[in-house]
Amino acid sequence: MGTAEILPGSYFIEFHSDPATRAGEREHAEFVQQARAAGVGMYTRNTFNRLFNGVAIDLPNTRHLERLAGLPAVKRTWPMQMRTRSVAIPSSNVSPNLMFAHQHTGVERAHAELGLDGSGIKVGVIDTGVDYMHPDLGGCWKTPGCPFQYGSDFVGNGYDSVATPHPEPGPDPRDTCDGHGTHVTGIIAAKGLKVRGVAPGVTLGAYRIFGCPGNGTGQAADDVILKALEAAHADRMDVINMSFGGGSGWSEDPLSVAAERLVRDGIVMVASTGNDGANGLYSSGSPGLGVGVINVASFENWKITSLSIDIVGSHRNISIVHSSPGNSKFRFIFETPAEVVAPTDSTGSIEGCAPYDTDHTGQILLIKRGNCTFVDKAERAQEAGAIGVMVYNNEPDLMSPTSVSPNVTISLVVIKADDGQAILSELNYGKVTASATNHTMSVDNPAGGQISQFSSWGPDPELRLSPAVGAPGGNIFSTFPLALGSYTSLSGTSMASPYVTGMVALILQARSKNISVEEVRQLILENAHPIPDRNNTELLSPLRQGSGLANIWDSLASQATVEPSQLSLNYTVISGTTSGASSTKNKRSVAEAPGVSVRTLTLYNRSPSNFLTGTMTHLPASSVSSYAANGSFTAVPRLWPESAGAKVAPDTLPSAFIESHELPIRIAPGMKQKVSVRITAPVGLSANDRWLYSGYLRFNMLWDDQVGTAQSLHVPYMGFLGDYTQLDVLSPPDEGFPFISMKGSAEALTPDSHVTIDSSHRVSAHYRLEHPTRVLKVQLVDDANATLGFLPYGFLEYMGRNYQSTRGRFSNSTLNGTLYADPDLTQSHEVKPGAYRIRIDALRPLRNPSDPEGYQIWHSSRFIIDSVSLAKNASASTQDDEDNSDEVFRP
């Protein structure tokens, strides 16, 4: 799971008709004729007619996009996004610790007591390909009895969406260079002594969309992914796993729409929610946000299994676990003991970010994490002659190192903070050596059963609850390409998603596929177990864990469902009325009293022979906010209650109950009953703090059979306290953004500065989005506030918020002398000398883009352009290309 960026000059062209229709087929032919008649030169990357009616193209002259957008066959154009697979890698190699997860999720019981293994179910894996020659995965490809009967390579080893953008597919999707897809597939379907997947009897389809690491950006373009989705659809997969993501964090992008169409066609779609938990709220990525997709959060495994490092000192000997190596090509193997030292670099630091003045030939360096990248640490150590690096963490747990670089040929691993301190203490007594072979060890994971810290937060920008559910994804041992060691432990929501995919296969097998996609989703979500928040007395917010930790045994045993499975209350205005909420997509919560929302749920008794009686218990969860008590933005969400044991007033927690006239709940076999639930927002909290409140409705069911079958179902809800449509999108100026400067300078222009616009002097507008926005406009205006045109990168749609990391902390758009009259940025003209301001319009949440009152507006200080000199013989589009260094952040 990773991020997405825009691929310059590449676009989706969407036609008017629905896919897989005769009208759509005609539009493909008409488009080609119309484009040729309009004189548009283009390269057709891919054509689509199953899930998306349109084409993917490259435009050598981006100004021709205006001509294409105006063709009769064209409904709209989309910029091409690129996706990156990225995985945290906390531990490494061989012991069957997937079994530890199976004990806590009901998988072990489903295998042993029900004999379920997913037989007869077709599972598609869209990923880096798979090493199908791995013995635990069958060691075969499309032979009789082989688990792999479907799939294709769509890219080839050398593919990269930027460096080598035109795929050269291989004969099959075998992956011997990456491993991500092999690991994911093992979680679903491995059947070996070391790894047994969740559904080892399934039939598999492997669809390769990524090339080998090291080709360039390591990204895949959306049209390649869409092609793979269409192939899986054509192969009639029953369930498809997507352990990748990123994008804008909106459900409207083409991949999310395609995933939604697959759901409508009866295919269960499962996706990772993302590994951006450190970036706080609104960090869930697409296509997992597609309507009906099960997007999965990661829970920590209960054991950490790793190749061990044996430490020998003069005082004591210890064995410790370590992460997988930062570069899988260079494994941390030292059969002959090597000396361990913890030197300071040339600045006196133990963090190893500067060159070393001392020689460390043949030694393993112990280095503290911090202040520079793992690549930097590995390069400095290698320059000093070191043969390996152990980085001890500055936090209790293990985490993901990445030391992939052409300049690094030694192995780097991360060890736990306590183990690093133990080695440092041993060095005080004298010489220390380390050896690392193929011996393994398993240790308890102190965070076992808790949400993984890297797991992304919801909600989506339109206040739909995300993630859907959680599953084991932290420290998961699974298969890996034979050439890369055969097995490893990886962490990420990329590992949690296939775990749920396997669960889906077991449900489909148990029901002989006689079950709807929606009911499968209900069984997974409603039978999950929400966990407490370790930091306070309430349950963890569903914006982090969804419905909770999935449990397949409870899902299979379930005799009841609730509709809907999750409640998004949108926003609750405690007093007064909303202003300007013109979107019809989301409405303010209906409030019969201040802060009260009423929602109708339908309970279904799936038992064919027994009556059901039930009650409802309300379980409040933590409220979360992206804003600190002083109003400043914070990436790590603020929580209420603030700490365990804190005394809180009852009105600072939400509450819920069923309308008394609808009680008791008593449902005949095969029948249903509607109930109205009144949910009261935590009105004791201040709406100025912008809280997202939440909780769980627990339905306690009892059947009148001889054994008294009982079951509990959980329905999470969340809402926003206050008027969501009035939220600011841009960060306030006192936090440093927005501002304007000369390009390349961090110093803001003073009012009425005189500037020259030419090839080396340009004005940049820097801004930071603290909330996602549907539309963002960056325009040049005169003294009368009349708009003269859009800047390059000056009209953007479906923007995610900026993150707090160095990369992506802000975005910018540069005035290079060219303005555009249209939102597609195709009708260009040259700016004239004069006095101007840059205006940024950011659409507030849930507002109508056509309503001028729906935007937050910022004006820069006034500046005077004395002269404009565009490069001679350069088109406007060429000028734009010179500003590709502008950062437009799309998480």
Side-chain angles (χ1 to χ4, degrees), residues 578-591:
T578 61
S579 59
S582 54
S583 171
T584 59
K585 196 166 196 174
N586 290 50
K587 293 294 187 183
R588 179 171 63 94
S589 294
V590 178

Side-chain angles (χ1 to χ4, degrees), residues 128-152:
T128 65
V130 62
D131 188 354
Y132 53 74
M133 293 307 296
H134 197 295
D136 289 4
L137 298 176
C140 56
W141 177 251
K142 292 187 177 180
T143 56
C146 181
F148 293 98
Q149 293 295 325
Y150 304 92
S152 298

Side-chain angles (χ1 to χ4, degrees), residues 730 738 765-767 776-778 838-842 856-858:
L730 298 167
H766 311 272
Y767 58 90
L776 183 82
K777 306 175 186 178
V778 185
I838 290 176
R839 189 179 84 191
I840 299 177
D841 297 46
Q856 178 190 3
I857 298 175
W858 172 85

Side-chain angles (χ1 to χ4, degrees), residues 95 162 168 243 338 344 448 457 578 667-668 683 883:
S95 180
V162 175
E168 296 182 5
S243 286
T344 57
W457 290 79
T578 61
I667 311 174
V683 294
D883 284 307

Side-chain angles (χ1 to χ4, degrees), residues 41 72 83 150 161 173 212 253 338 373 437 446 468 483 512 560 578 622 645 663 666 725 780 794 815 848:
R83 312 278 168 160
Y150 304 92
S161 60
C212 291
D253 73 18
T373 67
T437 60
S512 301
T578 61
S622 302
L663 295 174
R666 182 165 173 80
T725 68
L780 191 69
L815 178 61
N848 190 327

Side-chain angles (χ1 to χ4, degrees), residues 153-439:
D153 182 357
F154 291 90
V155 291
N157 286 346
Y159 171 75
D160 178 82
S161 60
V162 175
T164 50
H166 300 300
E168 296 182 5
D172 59 59
R174 189 179 183 193
D175 167 27
T176 60
C177 60
D178 187 294
H180 186 277
T182 302
H183 195 274
V184 164
T185 305
I187 294 170
I188 298 170
K191 44 186 172 185
L193 295 176
K194 294 178 178 177
V195 180
R196 183 171 175 83
V198 178
V202 298
T203 299
L204 291 162
Y207 305 88
R208 187 184 186 192
I209 59 171
F210 291 104
C212 291
N215 294 329
T217 64
Q219 296 172 317
D222 274 2
D223 64 324
V224 171
I225 301 171
L226 184 54
K227 203 69 179 175
L229 284 170
E230 289 206 331
H233 181 258
D235 289 337
R236 299 181 180 276
M237 293 293 112
D238 297 308
V239 54
I240 296 174
N241 183 80
M242 302 180 292
S243 286
F244 58 86
S248 61
W250 291 77
S251 62
E252 285 83 357
D253 73 18
L255 282 192
S256 293
V257 172
E260 180 182 347
R261 284 173 176 157
L262 284 160
V263 170
R264 290 204 305 263
D265 281 353
I267 298 175
V268 182
M269 301 297 295
V270 186
S272 52
T273 196
N275 296 345
D276 292 314
N279 292 311
L281 300 175
Y282 306 101
S283 57
S284 293
S286 64
L289 293 175
V291 176
V293 178
I294 303 174
N295 66 330
V296 187
S298 172
F299 280 68
E300 284 295 303
N301 199 358
W302 289 259
K303 292 281 187 178
I304 297 174
T305 303
S306 171
L307 285 173
S308 65
I309 303 175
D310 297 320
I311 304 295
V312 176
S314 58
H315 180 248
R316 65 171 178 153
N317 303 334
I318 58 174
S319 293
I320 62 174
V321 294
H322 65 82
S323 73
S324 286
N327 186 339
S328 59
K329 293 181 180 179
F330 304 104
R331 301 174 65 197
F332 199 84
I333 299 292
F334 299 97
E335 295 185 358
T336 302
E339 184 177 6
V340 178
V341 293
T344 57
D345 61 25
S346 57
T347 67
S349 171
I350 58 174
E351 292 173 335
C353 298
Y356 291 94
D357 294 330
T358 48
D359 179 60
H360 298 290
T361 299
Q363 296 176 330
I364 297 172
L365 300 197
L366 179 66
I367 301 173
K368 185 179 181 181
R369 181 186 171 198
N371 278 337
C372 61
T373 67
F374 292 112
V375 169
D376 292 335
K377 295 177 189 292
E379 286 182 346
R380 301 294 85 77
Q382 182 173 294
E383 290 166 359
I387 57 174
V389 175
M390 294 186 295
V391 178
Y392 61 98
N393 204 359
N394 50 18
E395 298 175 352
D397 300 331
L398 291 173
M399 54 79 61
S400 164
T402 300
S403 59
V404 177
S405 167
N407 301 321
V408 176
T409 58
I410 63 173
S411 184
L412 177 146
V413 296
V414 171
I415 63 176
K416 294 195 296 184
D418 289 348
D419 292 334
Q421 292 297 329
I423 298 172
L424 288 173
S425 297
E426 194 60 30
L427 284 168
N428 292 328
Y429 292 96
K431 184 177 179 179
V432 173
T433 63
S435 60
T437 60
N438 283 321
H439 296 139

Side-chain angles (χ1 to χ4, degrees), residues 40-185:
V40 175
M42 63 183 180
Y43 170 80
T44 301
R45 297 166 58 98
N46 278 300
T47 61
F48 305 98
N49 54 24
R50 295 187 70 93
L51 302 174
F52 176 84
N53 182 28
V55 295
I57 64 168
D58 290 335
L59 274 182
N61 186 340
T62 57
R63 288 194 291 175
H64 284 174
L65 187 63
E66 173 192 3
R67 300 182 192 177
L68 289 181
L71 296 180
V74 175
K75 178 181 179 181
R76 69 162 296 170
T77 63
W78 297 83
M80 183 72 64
Q81 294 189 90
M82 303 176 290
R83 312 278 168 160
T84 304
R85 78 293 207 201
S86 62
V87 185
I89 311 178
S91 56
S92 180
N93 284 3
V94 281
S95 180
N97 82 340
L98 195 56
M99 297 302 105
F100 299 126
H102 291 347
Q103 295 170 12
H104 294 270
T105 58
V107 170
E108 187 174 75
R109 289 188 70 187
H111 289 174
E113 298 181 34
L114 302 179
L116 296 174
D117 65 358
S119 292
I121 308 303
K122 297 195 296 187
V123 177
V125 180
I126 298 177
D127 215 291
T128 65
V130 62
D131 188 354
Y132 53 74
M133 293 307 296
H134 197 295
D136 289 4
L137 298 176
C140 56
W141 177 251
K142 292 187 177 180
T143 56
C146 181
F148 293 98
Q149 293 295 325
Y150 304 92
S152 298
D153 182 357
F154 291 90
V155 291
N157 286 346
Y159 171 75
D160 178 82
S161 60
V162 175
T164 50
H166 300 300
E168 296 182 5
D172 59 59
R174 189 179 183 193
D175 167 27
T176 60
C177 60
D178 187 294
H180 186 277
T182 302
H183 195 274
V184 164
T185 305

